């Protein structure tokens, strides 16, 4: 456990969070909570008032895990303290508020983004944990197959084009985009990222944050970015026709563009652009690669075990696979969950001439999907089952994530 003495909390304004006594009960509680959450590799801390207690949970590997139960008085003191150090108004009720604060944990800077909302038993607070100097993993460690990694590296040296990543919230899309930015030549090429909000800071990257209250949207920021002699653009999300149109034009006029959209798979991404009003011939000519991704939990290497499985069911999910299957057990290394860490599962489509012709012809989605498989695309279920075959994850985890 990280000693509380090695955790110093700062207000949003930059001053010390606790001026009177670093040994106050609320100060110790907050610092202990921060330390425990970071030790667990948590991404979020939930502080939830209930009828009899204030419950604290942490999201680890995508799942919420109970950390503590506090008496109402102490729990509400903790919530008020967090709001104060974020410069939020503790007198406002029935309204959502957002803020932030920071800390030094064993000498390392950590940022915390806070969301507060009034509910029946008081303010519920969710704290997102963001390391200011994260280990942005390279493409080889994302979990993509070697052939896909080669395709992505070939794209990253192109002078122009568009790459899109799709997947549900929390599926690792931002991590994939940051990993690609890490790989490009940021010293020789002008790189600009438009984000909502900025999660990590990268050297040699100009990062702009969306601020809808002051009229800074993805579309307006993207327009300004094109006046900045930009070579590479990362757009956090394409969510409206205006942003889609500008991103497409950028990809056609000498810019390499990365972005995300909400779509269920790599082929549906194409049709999402069409739904946003982009002409088929433009989609066909600018889109180079479409990626769909999910995150699955990794089996704990210290306690995974071979498990019996319905062979007929296994052959249906992965024809030709008849090898051993492993499952979770539980040990101190994984906090008795059977899993530790996560990895990506990717479905990747390279837009070939054949697929371009089909997009221009506005053929049904299933027809393009069939052609993509014939051109070498591995469906996401097939990729996931390869990770089961390698003993990296369980059949139950694949079924949970992919259905």
């Amino acid at each position: 456990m990280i000693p509380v003495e090695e955790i110093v909390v700062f207000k949003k304004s930059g001053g010390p969070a606790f001026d009177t006594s670093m040994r106050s009960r609320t100060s110790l509680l907050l610092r202990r909570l921060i330390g425990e959450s970071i030790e667990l590799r948590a991404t979020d801390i939930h502080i939830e008032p209930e009828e009899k207690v204030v419950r604290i949970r942490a999201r680890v590997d995508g799942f919420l895990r109970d950390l503590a139960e506090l008496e109402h008085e102490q729990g509400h003191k903790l919530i008020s303290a967090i709001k104060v150090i974020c410069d939020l108004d503790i007198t406002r009720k029935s309204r959502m508020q957002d803020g932030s604060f920071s800390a030094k944990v064993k000498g390392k800077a950590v940022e915390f983004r806070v969301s507060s909302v009034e509910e029946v038993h008081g303010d519920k607070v969710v704290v997102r944990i963001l390391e200011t100097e994260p280990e942005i993993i390279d493409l080889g460690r994302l979990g993509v197959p070697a052939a896909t990694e080669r395709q992505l590296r070939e794209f990253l040296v192109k002078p122009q084009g568009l790459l899109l990543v799709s997947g549900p919230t929390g599926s690792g899309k931002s991590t994939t985009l940051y990993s690609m930015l890490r790989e490009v030549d940021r010293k020789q090429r002008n790189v600009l990222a438009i984000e909502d909000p900025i999660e990590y800071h990268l050297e040699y990257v100009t990062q702009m944050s969306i601020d809808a209250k002051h009229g800074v949207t993805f579309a307006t920021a993207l327009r300004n970015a094109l006046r900045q002699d930009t070579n590479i653009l990362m757009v956090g999300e394409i969510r409206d026709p205006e942003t889609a149109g500008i991103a497409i034009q950028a990809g056609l006029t000498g810019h390499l563009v990365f972005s995300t959209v909400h779509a269920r798979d790599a082929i549906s991404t194409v049709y999402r652009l069409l739904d946003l009003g982009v002409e088929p011939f433009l989609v066909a000519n600018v889109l180079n690669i479409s990626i769909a991704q999910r995150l699955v939990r990794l089996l704990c290497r210290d306690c995974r075990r071979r498990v019996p499985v319905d062979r007929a069911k296994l052959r249906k999910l992965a024809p030709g696979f008849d090898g051993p299957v492993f499952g979770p057990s539980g040990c101190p290394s994984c906090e008795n969950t059977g899993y530790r860490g996560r990895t990506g599962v990717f479905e990747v489509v390279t837009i070939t001439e054949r697929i371009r012709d089909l997009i221009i012809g506005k053929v049904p989605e299933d027809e393009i999907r069939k052609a993509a498989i014939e051109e070498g695309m591995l469906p996401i279920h097939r990729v996931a089952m390869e990770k089961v075959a390698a003993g990296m994850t369980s059949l139950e985890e694949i079924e949970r994530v992919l259905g």
Side-chain angles (χ1 to χ4, degrees):
M1 182 63 65
I2 300 172
V4 293
E5 293 79 11
E6 296 190 42
I7 301 172
V8 182
V9 181
F10 299 94
K11 294 180 181 179
K12 181 180 180 179
S13 59
F18 301 100
D19 298 323
T20 54
S21 172
M22 290 300 285
R23 296 185 180 277
S24 71
R25 189 177 177 188
T26 302
S27 165
L28 289 170
L29 177 59
L30 178 57
R31 287 183 289 149
R32 190 176 296 121
L33 180 61
I34 288 171
E36 184 175 358
S37 299
I38 289 174
E39 283 279 313
L40 289 170
R41 301 169 293 105
T43 55
D44 302 87
I45 305 167
H46 290 235
I47 306 172
E48 306 166 328
E50 297 181 357
E51 184 177 358
K52 296 180 180 180
V53 298
V54 174
R55 187 180 307 280
I56 300 179
R57 299 190 289 170
R59 187 174 295 281
V60 181
D61 292 338
F63 281 77
L64 286 170
R65 182 184 302 180
D66 284 344
L67 290 188
E69 288 183 2
L70 305 178
E71 294 180 354
H72 265 278
E73 182 181 0
Q74 185 61 38
H76 287 292
K77 282 183 178 179
L78 175 63
I79 290 169
S80 293
I82 291 172
K83 292 180 72 174
V84 167
I85 65 178
C86 291
D87 292 336
L88 301 182
D89 187 348
I90 63 173
T91 66
R92 282 174 57 181
K93 302 296 180 183
S94 303
R95 301 180 75 174
M96 295 180 289
Q97 296 188 77
D98 296 309
S100 61
F101 68 96
S102 63
K104 285 275 189 180
V105 181
K106 298 178 71 173
K108 186 175 183 180
V110 183
E111 296 286 339
F112 300 88
R113 194 166 69 235
V114 175
S115 172
S116 170
V117 62
E118 178 77 8
E119 49 105 66
V120 66
H121 297 298
D123 286 325
K124 174 179 177 177
V125 169
V126 177
V127 182
R128 170 65 57 89
I129 303 171
L130 298 168
E131 295 183 56
T132 57
E133 297 179 3
E135 180 193 13
I136 299 175
I137 59 179
D138 59 39
L139 290 175
R141 291 172 54 206
L142 276 179
V144 297
T148 299
E149 184 181 343
R150 285 194 298 272
Q151 288 177 310
L152 294 178
R153 291 188 187 282
E154 288 171 6
F155 171 78
L156 294 177
V157 297
K158 288 180 178 293
Q160 66 182 48
L162 175 66
L163 178 146
L164 292 178
V165 183
S166 66
T169 301
S171 60
K173 299 187 296 295
S174 294
T175 299
T176 298
L177 293 183
Y178 276 111
S179 295
M180 285 190 283
L181 283 187
R182 182 184 182 275
E183 298 287 331
V184 300
D185 185 353
R186 287 171 283 145
K187 290 187 177 182
Q188 298 295 321
R189 304 170 83 182
N190 184 24
V191 183
L192 195 148
I194 304 167
E195 304 170 68
D196 182 23
I198 295 170
E199 294 193 10
Y200 304 122
H201 297 279
L202 284 173
E203 286 187 335
Y204 292 100
V205 177
T206 302
Q207 294 176 269
M208 300 173 61
S209 181
I210 297 306
D211 185 359
K213 290 180 182 178
H214 296 91
V216 183
T217 64
F218 277 117
T220 58
L222 190 49
R223 273 201 206 91
N224 287 327
L226 296 177
R227 304 187 189 108
Q228 291 285 311
D229 186 32
T230 306
N231 301 115
I232 298 173
L233 277 165
M234 184 184 97
V235 184
E237 183 183 351
I238 293 176
R239 59 175 67 152
D240 58 71
E242 187 178 13
T243 306
I246 301 169
I248 291 290
Q249 287 302 321
L252 287 168
T253 55
H255 304 85
L256 200 62
V257 183
F258 314 146
S259 191
T260 72
V261 295
H262 280 288
R264 69 177 183 274
D265 59 36
I267 299 301
S268 298
T269 296
V270 173
Y271 286 83
R272 177 60 181 149
L273 291 177
L274 299 179
D275 289 342
L276 288 171
V278 182
E279 292 293 334
F281 75 92
L282 290 177
V283 175
N285 282 290
V286 73
L287 184 62
N288 295 83
I289 297 176
S290 174
I291 301 172
Q293 72 177 77
R294 301 292 188 274
L295 288 177
V296 296
R297 290 180 296 169
L298 290 166
L299 286 167
C300 175
R301 288 286 178 174
D302 292 337
C303 67
R304 67 174 184 170
R305 59 190 176 88
R306 187 168 175 172
V307 295
V309 68
D310 183 335
R311 291 293 166 187
K313 178 181 180 181
L314 189 60
R315 283 192 291 271
K316 182 178 178 181
L317 287 169
F321 173 67
D322 199 34
V325 174
F326 293 86
S329 181
C331 69
S333 294
C334 60
E335 302 288 329
N336 291 311
T337 63
Y339 297 91
R340 183 174 175 82
R342 291 188 289 178
T343 189
V345 179
F346 299 86
E347 179 180 87
V348 181
V349 175
T350 300
I351 307 302
T352 62
E353 288 300 325
R354 177 184 176 189
I355 293 175
R356 285 192 179 93
D357 290 342
L358 293 174
I359 294 172
I360 293 171
K362 295 193 285 188
V363 303
E365 192 172 323
D366 285 345
E367 193 171 331
I368 294 185
R369 186 171 290 106
K370 180 182 177 182
I373 292 171
E374 291 173 355
E375 297 276 289
M377 181 191 85
L378 291 178
I380 197 164
H381 281 80
R382 170 80 176 275
V383 177
M385 286 306 301
E386 289 182 354
K387 294 187 182 292
V388 172
M392 298 173 65
T393 191
S394 67
L395 195 58
E396 291 75 18
E397 180 69 359
I398 297 303
E399 291 178 312
R400 179 187 70 82
V401 173
L402 297 178

